[in-house]
Amino acid sequence: MAWPGMEKYQNERIIIHLDYDCFYASVVENERPGLRSLPLGIQQKNILATCNYVARAQGVKKLQLVSEAKKTCPNLVIVNGEDLSRFRDASKKLWLYVREFIWEYKVERLGFDEVFLDVTQMIDFNIANLNLADFPASVLPTCTLASNLACTNADDDKLVEEAADQGIGFFRLSLTDPKRGFSFSWGKLPGHTYPLNDALDLRVLPESDHSSQSLEDDGLDCKVHNDFHQTKHTKHRLHRRLFLAAHFADFLRNSVKETYNYTVSAGISTTKLTAKLAGSVNKPDKQTLLIPAATQSFLDGHEIGKIPGVGFKTAQVLREELLGVVQGGAPEGSSVAEVAFYDKLTHPVTIHDIRRKLTLDRLSQVLDSKEQARKLYGWLHGVDTTPVAQTSLIPTQISIEDTFRSLKGTKQAEQVLIQLVTKLITRMHIDLLSPLPTPTTSTPTPTTSLQRWLACPRTFRLSLRPRDMTGPYSARISKSAPLPRYVFARDSCAEALAGRLVRDVGLPLLRKMGKVGEGELQLVNVAVVNMEESKAGEAVMAGVDIEKVFAGKKVTAEGSRNKNDEDMDWEKEVREIERVYKMLGEKGVEGDHKLAEEIDGISNEEDTIVDGQNLGIVGVMKPIDNQIEPGIGEDLWVKADDNGELSDMDGNGTDIVPAEAPTLRPIAHLRTKSRLDFSELEMEDEVGSPSARGVVCPKCGMGVLLFALEAHARFHEMERREQEK
DNA sequence: ATGGGTCCT
DNA sequence: AGGACCC
């Protein structure tokens, strides 16, 4: 073997790839089973993101223009799928379900509809534990392939052979509980194989196609598949393991189908690469086991860009390296992307072509890094050591975006930002808060129990795509800023927090992007990134009761003291902010006015308003140079004591809170009223400093920030209707 | 294209 | 901050 440990990766891992069939369509069908028998398309803007198989049978394609799809299939049922919430929820539900079966949670999510499973340990445990006593009396295997896979003549295969003769096997799902598992038939290999079962005789499988070049010193050995099968023993052992894996995949697919009503396609092989490619051979609701000896010829038939990891750019570079710069049929003046598209159609290049004609050295020259070349060279030969990563319960980013024909002007952008950020905050609650304790009859849950933040994103990011930017992928411009802490106030409404975040961070970032920010926009994306996992997050990951962590019980062995302390500080901080918010909220607008009066030197009721309950409490500040009292229309920061009494920060009315620390304090936000009267306030330029834009409602005299005008109007409308009754 | 995601540089 | 990749 060419490198230490390669044999292990090549020969010992067993990987299953699952792919939920036309996932978005299936989610909608499960919500509305009546749609199952109808042609169904999921629309995002002008295109169909996907469609069900009924629609495909009528000629509808994925990513087709809606207008075209309607032409080919006039009775197509179309459901809008621009909001991904339901798909994300379903995806997470299925992932968590599958995850529980897999030892060490070796389950990696790819997008919403795919998972990789490393089932090596589960398979090897079951191979080692096949026990004659577990099996009932005999049914002889009837399937040639299965008996080939299952039975061998190798010395230590006696147990397996005998077990196989019994016909029924039991696959254990638990290391400790021998009763947990499922039965399977030794006589039948579930699903499909590549190559086809009928054509398959493992004893006379052709040798892999060797390339003529020397591979001895490459660090790789393309003969690995053959070398591996040199001995009958190892060959049959691998086949038996894959055979078991096929049964396990079948079990998982059936379980998902029975439990949640989703059909799943699966690939079974020894690497992520081959498992995934194998899975797409037979779809939907089917599975495919790639027979190891056929790996090279299987790969050889694929176009180069079909390798996961070889994207648009790399594929084009390789195509050009092989064929020279071609312009197969692309019209004059086509973009690079268009040329690539035509090249792909007119000059398909397969793995076989690349493998035969490009050496590792050549690849190294043409690709970005030696590492990339090495990886690709491995992939061409079926070598893929990429481990299955455990996907964390906590996402590394949360982002929301929307696209437009053309979006112009700061006003429009602000509206869009508020919409997007409102959704973003809602998603933070769904994805980053601990699940509510499940109420049980035995242990009644305390009403005081609060959801905890499992992770805290430190950064807010705004990304834009200007109208006439080109490029196949991103073509985005982005700017980031620290995410203020007040967005973690759990009982404030998302809309209120969104208004603040847009005002304090979103709009300043937009302005910071200069001309792009003010020009025509095609896409606006907001995201929170830089997740910092909390103690609670780790506990949840480890399956520990998080209340114990915070009760000070010892959970982890060592080295976690600092982290724990930081978490407690973080918890305290957020709770302080929430306490003040709630206090002011409970007292309502009237109370707010009264509270305002209590503050020395500010104003009377006429002059001062407080951002009250419906709008939440503003969590930003504006320091005023050497000014003791806030000016008209300015912000003042106050603190609350344990009784809910407000005072300015140092108790003598002279305190100016430093700009760096505002969100760390228990604060309320007051703003003098006079200048607000139907006139807009000026906006500040610096990120993080407030820019208030609001009007005073003529009905109730309350200060209303622009973003909340609509909601405020609805509030009065509701009041009016109540009175009419 | 759409509305998301990942990791690397 | 952007780029490449994935669905």
Side-chain angles (χ1 to χ4, degrees), chain A residues 11 15 48 105 111 141 169 305 360 403 584:
Chain A
N11 303 330
I15 311 291
L48 292 184
Y105 294 141
L360 178 57
T403 53
L584 291 174

Side-chain angles (χ1 to χ4, degrees), chain A residues 600 639 647-655:
Chain A
D600 284 343
K639 72 180 174 191
S647 65
D648 60 330
M649 290 302 248
D650 65 7
N652 62 17
T654 63
D655 194 35

Side-chain angles (χ1 to χ4, degrees), chain A residues 412-445:
Chain A
Q412 299 234 48
E414 183 180 1
Q415 288 306 309
V416 167
L417 277 179
I418 283 164
Q419 276 188 50
L420 292 176
V421 171
T422 302
K423 288 185 192 169
L424 184 66
I425 289 171
T426 304
R427 283 252 282 115
M428 283 173 59
H429 282 239
I430 295 169
D431 292 346
L432 301 182
L433 280 175
S434 62
L436 281 168
T438 40
T440 54
T441 45
S442 54
T443 52
T445 52

Side-chain angles (χ1 to χ4, degrees), chain A residues 117-406:
Chain A
L117 317 174
D118 185 331
V119 296
T120 308
Q121 298 172 58
M122 302 185 73
I123 297 299
D124 286 346
F125 173 80
N126 277 282
I127 287 283
N129 279 270
L130 291 172
N131 188 338
L132 205 54
D134 289 343
F135 305 122
S138 94
V139 182
L140 283 174
T142 53
C143 169
T144 309
L145 172 60
S147 53
N148 261 310
L149 290 169
C151 310
T152 84
N153 298 318
D155 293 341
D156 65 348
D157 286 342
K158 202 134 180 50
L159 259 186
V160 179
E161 193 178 339
E162 288 170 1
D165 285 343
Q166 307 305 309
I168 302 296
F170 187 77
F171 188 105
R172 275 180 58 173
L173 291 168
S174 163
L175 262 174
T176 49
D177 179 2
K179 295 279 168 270
R180 257 201 79 203
F182 62 90
S183 298
F184 64 91
S185 164
W186 276 112
K188 186 168 171 278
L189 175 68
H192 304 256
T193 58
Y194 181 92
L196 291 178
N197 198 339
D198 294 345
L200 189 64
D201 185 337
L202 293 174
R203 290 159 304 193
V204 294
L205 259 185
E207 295 290 293
S208 290
D209 172 21
H210 289 206
S211 65
S212 52
Q213 60 183 283
S214 166
L215 295 156
E216 301 309 315
D217 301 318
D218 287 349
L220 290 171
D221 184 345
C222 89
K223 291 182 298 185
V224 57
H225 300 290
N226 289 312
D227 288 349
F228 174 61
H229 298 304
Q230 267 177 352
T231 70
K232 260 188 183 174
H233 171 245
T234 49
K235 169 176 164 180
H236 285 301
R237 177 177 153 80
L238 177 57
H239 287 163
R240 282 203 315 274
R241 294 164 76 228
L242 287 168
F243 175 83
L244 274 191
H247 276 291
F248 186 34
D250 193 48
F251 166 79
L252 288 173
R253 292 197 306 119
N254 286 324
S255 303
V256 170
K257 196 170 178 177
E258 281 167 28
T259 308
Y260 293 114
N261 229 285
Y262 286 87
T263 65
V264 184
S265 294
I268 303 107
S269 183
T270 55
T271 68
K272 286 170 77 178
L273 204 217
T274 48
K276 178 167 171 155
L277 292 179
S280 32
V281 174
N282 296 286
K283 299 172 83 166
D285 198 14
K286 294 178 180 63
Q287 67 177 58
T288 308
L289 164 62
L290 178 61
I291 303 300
T295 300
Q296 192 61 64
S297 62
F298 173 66
L299 286 174
D300 276 349
H302 286 79
E303 216 208 305
I304 185 64
K306 288 285 199 301
I307 297 179
V310 176
F312 183 88
K313 298 266 180 177
T314 310
Q316 187 60 9
V317 164
L318 294 175
R319 225 174 270 129
E320 283 174 9
E321 183 61 23
L322 216 72
L323 306 172
V325 178
V326 288
Q327 281 229 11
E332 267 323 293
S334 297
S335 68
V336 177
E338 284 164 335
V339 170
F341 180 77
Y342 279 100
D343 282 357
K344 200 172 150 186
L345 290 183
T346 57
H347 301 278
V349 168
T350 62
I351 290 180
H352 179 85
D353 299 332
I354 303 281
R355 179 167 73 80
R356 296 286 291 269
K357 291 175 186 147
L358 298 185
T359 62
L360 178 57
D361 281 344
R362 190 95 172 273
L363 291 176
S364 295
Q365 287 160 23
V366 83
L367 297 182
D368 291 344
S369 70
K370 183 99 183 166
E371 241 321 282
Q372 239 225 304
R374 240 168 211 298
K375 273 204 240 167
L376 174 60
Y377 195 75
W379 293 338
L380 298 175
H381 297 94
V383 175
D384 174 26
T385 61
T386 322
V388 173
Q390 289 179 28
T391 296
S392 166
L393 289 168
I394 295 160
T396 59
Q397 62 163 260
I398 300 174
S399 84
I400 306 276
E401 69 193 39
D402 203 351
T403 53
F404 314 89
R405 296 250 160 164
S406 177

Side-chain angles (χ1 to χ4, degrees), chain A residues 577-622:
Chain A
I577 293 172
E578 285 168 346
R579 189 169 64 86
V580 176
Y581 279 25
K582 194 175 176 204
M583 211 167 50
L584 291 174
E586 277 166 0
K587 301 192 181 192
V589 175
E590 294 271 321
D592 291 345
H593 282 256
K594 250 177 90 188
L595 282 168
E597 281 179 62
E598 292 171 11
I599 314 262
D600 284 343
I602 297 183
S603 62
N604 56 40
E605 190 177 332
E606 279 306 298
D607 286 347
T608 306
I609 59 153
V610 176
D611 253 342
Q613 177 182 29
N614 292 331
L615 307 179
I617 302 302
V618 175
V620 295
M621 67 161 292
K622 181 170 184 178

